[in-house]
Amino acid sequence: MQWRNSSDRFGLVTGSLHWLMALLVIGLTALGLWMTSLTYYSPYYTSAPSWHKSLGLVFAALLVLRLIWRAATPSPGHLASHKNWERLLASGAQWLMYGAMLLIVTSGYLISTAKGSGVSLFGWFEVPALVSGLPEQADVAGAVHYWLALGLLALAGLHALGALKHHLIDKDNTLRRMLGMRLLNATENGK
């Protein structure tokens, strides 16, 4: 598998970023929902939010890297077999997910810095609080963070269902291109 995207498949960097970020979306959502249910007496009351914030910073860095990589390495085009509505839906969902991820990261940062404290990355260093003290900053950012995270999870679920539909029902190369699998038929890619 090549590092960069080609005209007919995604490269190793794009695929790795895609799957790592997918795991982080699921993990961060689960961790976020779990940690908000913890009581003051839970042994994880302080460690769970620290892990969530640190992993959120890792996710933010990966998101920036992914957007830079996307600009530097164009994605393969849609398959010739894709219908116009599928192309529009896929592109729309993809940009909605990017927008949601950016807003989730930003709102998470605003929650964490609302009282003027920076955000620690696993205790290695701290990302400073550049914005703090806005009216109801933590509450507003918290609501945005929560609802967008659930929305992103739903969109990602639809994205996964679409990929499975292409793989199992349409039997095309949509999912194979992201997994680095052997492509079924090179002429299908619109060449």
Side-chain angles (χ1 to χ4, degrees), residues 110-187:
L110 291 173
I111 295 165
S112 300
T113 61
K115 294 181 180 176
S117 300
V119 186
S120 173
L121 178 71
F122 300 114
W124 298 333
F125 65 87
E126 191 170 280
V127 175
L130 300 174
V131 179
S132 62
L134 297 174
E136 300 179 42
Q137 179 174 331
D139 291 338
V140 172
V144 168
H145 193 73
Y146 174 80
W147 289 108
L148 281 177
L150 293 181
L152 176 62
L153 203 58
L155 264 174
L158 289 173
H159 175 71
L161 286 175
L164 289 173
K165 176 245 185 213
H166 281 285
H167 190 70
L168 300 172
I169 296 171
D170 299 343
K171 299 191 186 316
D172 66 21
N173 286 322
T174 302
L175 185 58
R176 292 174 164 277
R177 297 187 321 165
M178 184 55 82
L179 291 172
M181 297 170 68
R182 184 181 58 80
L183 299 181
L184 297 172
N185 180 352
T187 60

Side-chain angles (χ1 to χ4, degrees), residues 2 45 55 86 88-89 98 112-113 143 170 191:
Q2 70 277 3
Y45 185 74
L55 290 171
E86 290 173 318
L88 290 171
L89 196 60
Y98 280 132
S112 300
T113 61
D170 299 343
K191 289 185 171 182

Side-chain angles (χ1 to χ4, degrees), residues 32-62:
L33 291 171
W34 174 69
M35 75 180 197
T36 58
S37 71
L38 297 175
T39 67
Y40 179 77
Y41 299 103
S42 170
Y44 304 106
Y45 185 74
T46 56
S47 62
S50 294
W51 276 93
H52 187 78
K53 291 174 188 179
S54 291
L55 290 171
L57 288 173
V58 169
F59 184 83
L62 289 173

Side-chain angles (χ1 to χ4, degrees), residues 1-60:
M1 179 179 223
Q2 70 277 3
W3 286 92
R4 296 175 64 91
N5 297 341
S6 67
S7 62
D8 64 346
R9 68 173 56 238
F10 293 96
L12 185 61
V13 174
T14 302
S16 298
L17 287 169
H18 176 272
W19 295 110
L20 181 56
M21 291 179 72
L23 287 173
L24 280 169
V25 164
I26 294 166
L28 282 165
T29 304
L31 179 57
L33 291 171
W34 174 69
M35 75 180 197
T36 58
S37 71
L38 297 175
T39 67
Y40 179 77
Y41 299 103
S42 170
Y44 304 106
Y45 185 74
T46 56
S47 62
S50 294
W51 276 93
H52 187 78
K53 291 174 188 179
S54 291
L55 290 171
L57 288 173
V58 169
F59 184 83

